[in-house]
Amino acid sequence: MDLVLLFFIFVLAAFLGLELISKVPSQLHTPLMSGSNAISGITVVGALLAIRSEAEGTIGMILGVAALVFATVNVVGGYAVTDRMLQMFKKKGK
Amino acid sequence: MDANDLINLAYVAAATLFVFGIKMLGSADTARRGNMVSGLGMLLAVVVTLLADGLDYTWIIGGLVVGSAIGLAAARMVKMTAMPELVALFNGFGGLASLLVAWAEFEKVREIGWVAYELEMQANTVFSGFVIYAAMLIGGVTFTGSLFAYGKLSGKLSGSAMVFAGQKALNILLLIAILAVGAVFTWSTDLELAYKLFLTGIALALLFGIMGVMPIGGGDMPVVISLLNSLSGVAASAAGFVIYNNVLIVAGCLVGASGLILTVIMCKAMNRSLGNVLFSGFGAASGGG
């Protein structure tokens, strides 16, 4: 893919991210941090693409599988723990 | 329309779900649904990536099962009070994953050589070298920094700021070394030398993550974790540039930018500036405050 196009979406995403968050109530700081931490586990997609059966060398394969395990822990654990936090938040509020 | 178009279209949908998810997480009424919306985006991105050519499904399914089991078990069993430190640990894993993805890509370069790599990826070798090093570096700093923050929060390490004479100078030297190694790595065409530089870079990055968090006190840890969370997004984004993947670039950058704003908001709530939180430990060494 064209490198300039990738830069283009990178810059636009940066501005979107900067505008997305404003006036978050302080009780939501930790869940928001936890929820966006789960999103940063998107590296899982990169890990999946690194695990190819073609000749890539054993080391590359091992690194890819290790990356997949760690990224999956980040994603699945991240979403699950955020959900638990927000669940408890709601109970407290009512 | 081929499989690649379909994958990229689904990535657009996933990125949109992430945007809505983050937005909804910011207000109390919609927060829980927002987390699910963003989770749906992640599920979509993962499932559609499995359609890519040439993947080895045995290892993929194994990795997904093992990772999900560990993640779910940790998230279910953790005590309410221990949740922030678990988030720090997860965040460290995300950073490590970005480092490993960059490393795996560099192994591919070592396997086929820069010339063949340039042809296959239609990439600029200097740019590829730069982003491989950047993803490794940011991921590595996130990894050990988050682990150290986890240790401080969970009480496994002393929670107080650890300062010693010459710490600031040492950190600056470390940073200069990291940048110098990176510069030589980026422009090096000798793969043997590049490999040694890369491994040195990993060691320096891991050390820098520890050194950066060391002088910060336990009470400031939530701010530091938020900043490290932002960094792990940037690491994912850099990994996206390594493998030319747009959903990594967009989602990582969203987390990087929104995480930075959240960090600033958290500092303001404590009536501090970000610089004050990060470097107050240095002041403590000389001024005792």
Side-chain angles (χ1 to χ4, degrees):
Chain A
M1 207 178 294
D2 193 351
L3 200 57
V4 181
L5 265 180
L6 291 180
F7 263 125
F8 194 68
I9 60 166
F10 176 79
V11 173
L12 288 182
F15 278 103
L16 181 57
L18 289 175
E19 292 296 321
L20 213 48
I21 305 283
S22 58
K23 283 187 217 148
V24 182
S26 61
Q27 319 92 290
L28 278 178
H29 285 173
T30 310
L32 179 58
M33 178 167 78
S34 177
S36 59
N37 166 51
I39 297 177
S40 69
I42 189 71
T43 312
V44 71
V45 166
L48 287 175
L49 293 172
I51 305 176
R52 291 181 186 266
S53 33
E54 320 141 19
E56 277 232 345
T58 339
I59 309 172
M61 189 78 170
I62 294 171
L63 292 170
V65 173
L68 178 63
V69 172
F70 283 113
T72 309
V73 172
N74 185 191
V75 167
V76 176
Y79 280 115
V81 83
T82 311
D83 193 58
R84 260 190 78 191
M85 273 180 207
L86 291 166
Q87 207 175 351
M88 137 182 125
F89 183 71
K90 204 154 204 182
K91 269 185 208 150
K92 265 189 189 166
K94 279 185 179 172
Chain B
M1 197 165 94
D2 62 5
N4 262 332
D5 288 340
L6 186 72
I7 291 174
N8 278 315
L9 268 180
Y11 282 168
V12 175
T16 312
L17 290 171
F18 290 146
V19 171
F20 277 111
I22 295 178
K23 185 81 196 160
M24 288 163 82
L25 270 168
S27 85
D29 297 333
T30 54
R32 200 168 171 207
R33 248 183 306 143
N35 189 45
M36 284 171 191
V37 166
S38 115
L40 193 67
M42 185 65 75
L43 188 67
L44 180 64
V46 169
V47 168
V48 86
T49 303
L50 294 175
L51 297 176
D53 290 332
L55 297 184
D56 185 330
Y57 291 107
T58 326
W59 283 106
I60 284 178
I61 291 168
L64 284 174
V65 168
V66 170
S68 304
I70 297 174
L72 262 187
R76 283 270 166 80
M77 290 192 293
V78 66
K79 287 197 207 99
M80 301 284 183
T81 49
M83 281 179 179
E85 64 212 48
L86 186 66
V87 173
L89 192 63
F90 286 158
N91 191 51
F93 286 176
L96 180 60
S98 294
L99 182 155
L100 292 171
V101 167
W103 191 352
E105 195 69 10
F106 183 56
E107 287 296 332
K108 184 175 168 185
V109 175
R110 282 199 346 138
E111 194 87 4
I112 63 178
W114 275 119
V115 180
Y117 183 79
E118 187 167 14
L119 278 176
E120 191 186 319
M121 299 289 286
Q122 297 180 323
N124 178 306
T125 53
V126 172
F127 180 78
S128 290
F130 172 73
V131 286
I132 285 175
Y133 194 81
M136 176 280 289
L137 171 64
I138 306 170
V141 170
T142 306
F143 175 51
T144 49
S146 300
L147 279 193
F148 204 78
Y150 163 77
K152 280 196 173 190
L153 271 181
S154 64
K156 291 186 174 69
L157 297 165
S158 157
S160 55
M162 290 174 225
V163 283
F164 53 84
Q167 190 169 27
K168 196 173 189 175
L170 186 69
N171 282 354
I172 290 171
L173 271 180
L174 197 56
L175 195 60
I176 292 172
I178 285 173
L179 295 179
V181 170
V184 183
F185 172 82
T186 300
W187 276 283
S188 161
T189 46
D190 176 2
L191 271 174
E192 263 320 296
L193 175 70
Y195 187 54
K196 282 179 192 137
L197 290 170
F198 188 73
L199 294 181
T200 313
I202 291 178
L204 291 173
L206 296 180
L207 183 63
F208 191 69
I210 295 173
M211 296 300 287
V213 176
M214 194 181 270
I216 304 169
D220 290 336
M221 272 307 128
V223 174
V224 174
I225 294 172
S226 177
L227 186 65
L228 287 166
N229 173 42
S230 165
L231 264 189
S232 75
V234 180
S237 203
F241 276 107
V242 171
I243 60 169
Y244 284 70
N245 183 294
N246 49 23
V247 77
L248 254 73
I249 294 175
V250 171
C253 190
L254 278 174
V255 173
S258 65
L260 187 64
I261 295 293
L262 179 64
T263 310
V264 173
I265 293 176
M266 285 168 81
C267 286
K268 272 189 190 150
M270 295 164 60
N271 271 325
R272 313 257 304 267
S273 74
L274 183 55
N276 183 264
V277 169
L278 289 179
F279 301 116
S280 60
F282 296 131
S286 53

